[in-house]
Amino acid sequence: MELLKERIRRDGKVKGTDVLKVDSFLNHQMDIKLFAEIGREFKRRFADCQINKILTIEASGIGIACITAQYFDCPVIFAKKSQTKNIAGEVYTAKVESFTHGRVYDIIVAKEFLGHGDRVLIIDDFLANGAALMGLSKLVEDAGATLVGAGIVIEKAFQPGGDMIRARGIRLESLARVKSMNEETGVEFVD
Ligand code: G4P
């Protein structure tokens, strides 16, 4: 998506070799006109997939998922991150290991919101190691729902998540795929 790549080139800030800060338009201050174009593009790519639920994870995925859902005319569920040790009852749970933050947390979704017959699109802002996406796909599987695919705004293609997800046969649509990053020269995209 050229508009997005241009914005990343212009306003993204590279930290070291593997962190891309996009706080000014994506995950702190949010450019809603850009989000509308992102949502339109996800709709174009997943048109005719009969998606009836969008699933994301708190916090940064929520805004993008909500704008995208307007194009699909469906609800958004966001998985909650939980520190609670004993989660019982009517929830699906998965463990997510955050390599960036060096910790493991549980994600949960109430069973009443996801089940057989649902056709789910996962939406998130970043794909790095793929741990969050794997956790979300497990929730969909445990619910007996169909995972139609995953829409990612920025895939860091030099990290293992994208290849791992594709190898599992999950349809992955990333709007910007970063090949490499450098504080001096900026961001290079895959295509
Ligand atoms: P993974 O889910 O793909 O395995 O990613 P990882 O554990 O490495 O990333 C953990 C968090 O860091 C995620 O947000 C992810 O979106 C974010 N992240 C990863 N790489 C980058 C990056 O280069 N730039 C920015 N800005 N964020 C990155 P989170 O912990 O779920 O936090 P939240 O912001 O969604 O609340």
Side-chain angles (χ1 to χ4, degrees):
M1 185 184 169
E2 209 47 50
L3 182 73
L4 174 66
K5 290 192 224 169
E6 276 169 25
R7 191 62 181 271
I8 294 169
R9 281 193 199 98
R10 198 182 82 197
D11 293 334
K13 297 203 169 18
V14 178
K15 301 280 170 204
T17 54
D18 62 357
V19 174
L20 178 61
K21 299 287 282 180
V22 286
D23 283 1
S24 67
F25 61 96
L26 194 72
N27 56 17
H28 193 19
Q29 175 169 263
M30 298 182 281
D31 181 337
I32 299 306
K33 281 196 179 149
L34 178 66
F35 279 28
E37 294 309 316
I38 287 170
R40 194 193 306 278
E41 181 63 15
F42 282 137
K43 174 66 181 176
R44 191 182 69 78
R45 295 189 188 203
F46 289 99
D48 307 321
C49 291
Q50 281 109 39
I51 287 155
N52 75 319
K53 296 257 167 88
I54 288 179
L55 176 65
T56 188
I57 181 167
E58 65 177 347
S60 306
I62 296 175
I64 299 154
C66 288
I67 301 276
T68 300
Q70 290 188 308
Y71 292 90
F72 288 90
D73 195 19
C74 73
V76 174
I77 307 160
F78 67 90
K80 298 188 179 191
K81 292 174 180 169
S82 168
Q83 309 288 350
T84 318
K85 287 275 178 297
N86 297 308
I87 302 161
E90 298 300 293
V91 292
Y92 299 112
T93 75
K95 290 213 175 300
V96 173
E97 185 172 359
S98 171
F99 297 94
T100 308
H101 298 126
R103 64 186 167 88
V104 179
Y105 55 90
D106 293 295
I107 58 171
I108 61 169
V109 162
K111 287 185 179 174
E112 66 181 299
F113 301 128
L114 203 56
H116 287 276
D118 281 331
R119 295 181 56 79
V120 180
L121 173 64
I122 294 174
I123 293 285
D124 210 355
D125 57 343
F126 269 94
L127 174 59
N129 293 296
L133 200 40
M134 286 310 300
L136 291 170
S137 71
K138 179 185 180 292
L139 299 182
V140 175
E141 194 179 314
D142 288 354
T146 301
L147 179 57
V148 172
I152 298 293
V153 180
I154 303 173
E155 176 187 339
K156 294 194 289 181
F158 56 88
Q159 289 184 267
D163 288 345
M164 183 183 72
I165 296 295
R166 290 184 181 94
R168 285 174 188 248
I170 296 171
R171 180 176 168 198
L172 178 61
E173 294 284 346
S174 303
L175 303 187
R177 299 186 70 214
V178 177
K179 195 200 301 189
S180 61
M181 301 190 300
N182 183 295
E183 285 190 12
E184 275 79 51
T185 56
V187 178
E188 199 186 338
F189 295 100
V190 171
D191 39 40

